[in-house]
Amino acid sequence: MAAESPIKTSPESEKTSSTPVSWAWILQRFSGLLLLVFLGGHLWVEHFMNTSAAVVASRLTHVVDDSLDIGLLISVLYHGLNGFRGIIQEMLPEGRGAWLNYAVFGLGLITVVWGLDILWAFWYHQPFLTL
Amino acid sequence: MGVLVSPAFSDFVGYEVRVLTVTIRIARSNGEQAFVVETLAQQTVLDALFYIQNELEPSLSFRCSCRVGMCGSCGMVINGKESLACRTSLNPLGAEVTVQPLRHIPVIKDLVVDMEGFFSKYRLVDPYLKPRPGLVNPIVAPPSGHLREEIDLGLECISCGLCLSACDVVGMVPEFLGPAALNRAYNLVADVRDDLAEQRLSMVGQSRVGVWQCHTHMSCVEVCPKNIAPTRAISHLKRTLIRRRITGHRPRPMPKVQRIVQEEV
Amino acid sequence: MYHKNTRGYKAFWVHRISGLLILGYLYLHLVLLSAILLPSGAAHFNAVARVVEQPGFVVADIVLFAIIVVHALNGIRLIAADFGAMIRENRLAIWLTMGIGAVMVFIAVLMLLPHIVG
């Protein structure tokens, strides 16, 4: 590196987001590609017609169906909430998004637990956390 | 379109001489003003603006210089598309033509904009080559070599500001560097003779300011009068930054670059 | 006052709004599935399942599928652009996404038609 570099860089700017923006960017693309598989599989496996709790429970005894649903839950929440976070962050002034990351991460965590609880109810015929 | 004026004259000059009657609506500083202009079909919007200034409204302000699309002075938004007035023929535009100043940079008067709004962003990436120390003189990337191939694609920029005006991301996030500056930054990063790749990459890697803010509208590609694709340059910068993020910060190996340049000179 | 936006800008807003709609549907989906979390959940779940098989809901499903297809195909176009592909051919790329999307939605309509009219 030239010592007398004329370019001023501000690494602080990258730190305004707790996730470095390049990671958020590449994970958004990666989760989008995963969703093509998971959501495609979800729509293909589920016929949506004449379904019942018993049908879903028997489907969810297969490990492929379980991984499909868990993978879909996590990737769709990452992709959707990270996109939502980006939209809100863009509307906020520079450097005002720190709370947003925690809020969206918390929302995502709660939703993952919610979704897993629904799967749990099908696996063990009663939810781990009841309404 | 238009009325054929004189078949004999058309035969004489070798093409059909038609006269168009065009209403030109100009978004001036003090509001919209419409002018009805009779013009030859082959003429450009810039010709019509000169006609308006000479004959109808002497106070109309616009900027131009070379009249052949190489200086980048007469950029304006014509019928909703950022164009160089000197390279935009009136014939395909129809009977109603709207002209407005470039967007996202301050208007000084009528169609004249403050290009400092463009160049202040351009300057942030230090748009000049700083040679790497230790390279043999003269430092040349030969026109036929593969080193030139990559940088040639974006080298034609005339700094007209059309891409910045067309970029709606700049409208949403004013601190975004915009297509021209990022295209220039990529050109210098891709240039093996340049010494400031690391600094340029950390400049364009910042959130809001840099490449991650680009939403791939590709409006810049659509309007560029030199057929540059800044979106392509931005995608290269994104991939370079991602590669660095995954593999760690590794400056390009100097000995190899030196060898290539020496071989090709 | 005159400005007219480019097709890439319109596609950007379609992408954003469709994404937000899908996120909203995701939560609606979880709320409906949460019938299983109630006491004697299977009965509630089956009752919800009978309701969402009504023809009106199947039509809404097709609309949802169309929104997902638009978002997915446009996303593929954007990822291609991030790899430097189809940038100068953006106009063609957008027409392709719309064409392929229309075919996919048409196939979905054919598959679900018995549940709407029958």
Side-chain angles (χ1 to χ4, degrees):
Chain A
M1 267 328 87
E4 73 289 3
S5 157
I7 297 184
K8 292 168 199 71
T9 58
S10 62
E12 287 77 23
S13 184
E14 173 121 332
K15 284 179 195 145
T16 51
S17 144
S18 70
T19 314
V21 63
S22 55
W23 277 124
W25 184 88
I26 191 71
L27 284 175
Q28 186 72 352
R29 269 95 195 130
F30 184 67
S31 59
L33 289 174
L34 279 182
L35 277 174
L36 292 178
V37 179
F38 286 137
L39 195 55
H42 184 68
L43 293 177
W44 189 256
V45 168
E46 296 273 9
H47 295 284
F48 297 117
M49 293 302 152
N50 307 319
T51 193
S52 69
V55 170
V56 177
S58 75
R59 182 176 73 76
L60 285 176
T61 55
H62 300 288
V63 70
V64 175
D65 291 45
D66 292 337
S67 11
L68 197 67
D69 280 10
I70 295 170
L72 176 64
L73 181 68
I74 292 169
S75 54
V76 81
L77 278 169
Y78 180 81
H79 191 83
L81 290 177
N82 190 43
F84 177 69
R85 185 191 65 94
I87 294 172
I88 303 294
Q89 192 143 53
E90 201 170 273
M91 301 189 318
L92 295 170
E94 166 102 68
R96 294 286 297 279
W99 60 272
L100 187 70
N101 294 323
Y102 294 112
V104 171
F105 185 76
L107 178 62
L109 216 55
I110 291 167
T111 317
V112 168
V113 170
W114 183 9
L116 287 177
D117 196 32
I118 292 172
L119 288 173
W120 188 284
F122 285 111
W123 288 331
Y124 300 105
H125 302 291
Q126 60 176 26
F128 188 76
L129 304 161
T130 323
L131 270 181
Chain B
M1 243 190 87
V3 183
L4 192 64
V5 271
S6 158
F9 185 60
S10 294
D11 284 346
F12 175 70
V13 295
Y15 56 86
E16 288 191 343
V17 181
R18 290 174 179 274
V19 168
L20 305 175
T21 306
V22 181
T23 305
I24 298 186
R25 298 183 189 282
I26 302 177
R28 299 189 65 187
S29 299
N30 51 1
E32 184 193 287
Q33 198 172 354
F35 303 93
V36 179
V37 173
E38 287 215 327
T39 167
L40 295 177
Q42 283 77 13
Q43 286 188 299
T44 64
V45 172
L46 187 62
D47 295 323
L49 291 178
F50 269 116
Y51 176 81
I52 292 169
Q53 195 188 50
N54 289 338
E55 308 291 336
L56 306 172
E57 180 53 75
S59 73
L60 177 71
S61 297
F62 56 93
R63 201 183 262 141
C64 74
S65 180
C66 73
R67 293 183 174 216
V68 290
M70 57 183 276
C71 75
S73 306
C74 62
M76 45 194 82
V77 184
I78 298 163
N79 276 8
K81 189 184 178 190
E82 280 76 5
S83 322
L84 296 180
C86 66
R87 305 300 297 158
T88 307
S89 172
L90 280 165
N91 199 22
L93 291 182
E96 294 258 330
V97 176
T98 60
V99 182
Q100 77 186 95
L102 291 184
R103 304 184 305 147
H104 308 142
I105 35 181
V107 175
I108 296 173
K109 181 173 179 285
D110 297 343
L111 302 172
V112 179
V113 289
D114 185 2
M115 288 299 281
E116 180 56 22
F118 173 84
F119 285 110
S120 61
K121 288 173 186 289
Y122 205 61
R123 227 176 277 128
L124 279 176
V125 299
D126 276 74
Y128 49 82
L129 185 120
K130 182 172 184 298
R132 313 184 81 173
L135 287 178
V136 289
N137 281 323
I139 304 164
V140 175
S144 56
H146 72 277
L147 298 175
R148 171 70 71 166
E149 219 167 79
E150 191 53 42
I151 57 178
D152 250 358
L153 291 162
L155 216 52
E156 297 287 316
C157 179
I158 54 173
S159 319
C160 59
L162 296 192
C163 53
L164 189 79
S165 171
C167 180
D168 286 290
V169 179
V170 177
M172 290 192 291
V173 183
E175 58 265 43
F176 179 50
L177 282 169
L182 291 173
N183 179 69
R184 186 67 187 141
Y186 170 64
N187 241 36
L188 290 164
V189 167
D191 195 321
V192 287
R193 302 164 298 171
D194 181 56
D195 194 39
L196 295 179
E198 293 298 312
Q199 287 94 324
R200 292 185 210 287
L201 284 171
S202 49
M203 180 74 212
V204 303
Q206 296 175 60
S207 59
R208 292 178 87 90
V209 176
V211 288
W212 311 113
Q213 191 57 55
C214 170
H215 282 309
T216 331
H217 295 171
M218 308 190 212
S219 305
C220 50
V221 186
E222 273 183 48
V223 301
C224 180
K226 291 292 169 186
N227 287 321
I228 299 169
T231 306
R232 187 187 158 281
I234 291 170
S235 79
H236 266 284
L237 286 172
K238 283 172 177 170
R239 294 203 300 280
T240 307
L241 285 161
I242 290 289
R243 216 175 298 124
R244 282 158 45 95
R245 173 70 75 184
I246 291 169
T247 61
H249 291 217
R250 281 182 204 157
R252 290 161 302 173
M254 173 65 87
K256 195 182 165 197
V257 171
Q258 201 167 12
R259 199 187 67 238
I260 292 168
V261 175
Q262 276 169 336
E263 276 172 6
E264 295 206 0
V265 164
Chain C
M1 62 189 115
Y2 301 136
H3 192 75
K4 186 177 71 188
N5 285 306
T6 58
R7 57 181 79 86
Y9 182 67
K10 291 170 195 157
F12 161 76
W13 277 108
V14 167
H15 199 70
R16 263 200 173 177
I17 291 166
S18 60
L20 288 174
L21 287 173
I22 294 164
L23 185 64
Y25 172 77
L26 173 69
Y27 278 93
L28 177 68
H29 192 50
L30 287 174
V31 165
L32 292 181
L33 290 177
S34 292
I36 198 78
L37 300 181
L38 295 167
S40 66
H44 291 288
F45 183 89
N46 293 344
V48 171
R50 293 291 83 73
V51 172
V52 298
E53 282 167 16
Q54 304 296 313
F57 284 92
V58 178
V59 171
D61 273 347
I62 291 173
V63 173
L64 172 71
F65 181 70
I67 292 171
I68 291 172
V69 161
V70 162
H71 192 84
L73 292 174
N74 196 50
I76 292 172
R77 181 182 69 86
L78 295 176
I79 291 175
D82 288 330
F83 284 95
M86 300 293 272
I87 288 177
R88 289 182 194 281
E89 302 83 2
N90 186 36
R91 184 193 173 91
L92 170 69
I94 288 185
W95 279 111
L96 269 179
T97 61
M98 290 199 281
I100 296 170
V103 170
M104 288 174 72
V105 172
F106 181 68
I107 293 170
V109 169
L110 286 186
M111 286 171 74
L112 290 175
L113 207 55
H115 299 285
I116 300 170
V117 294

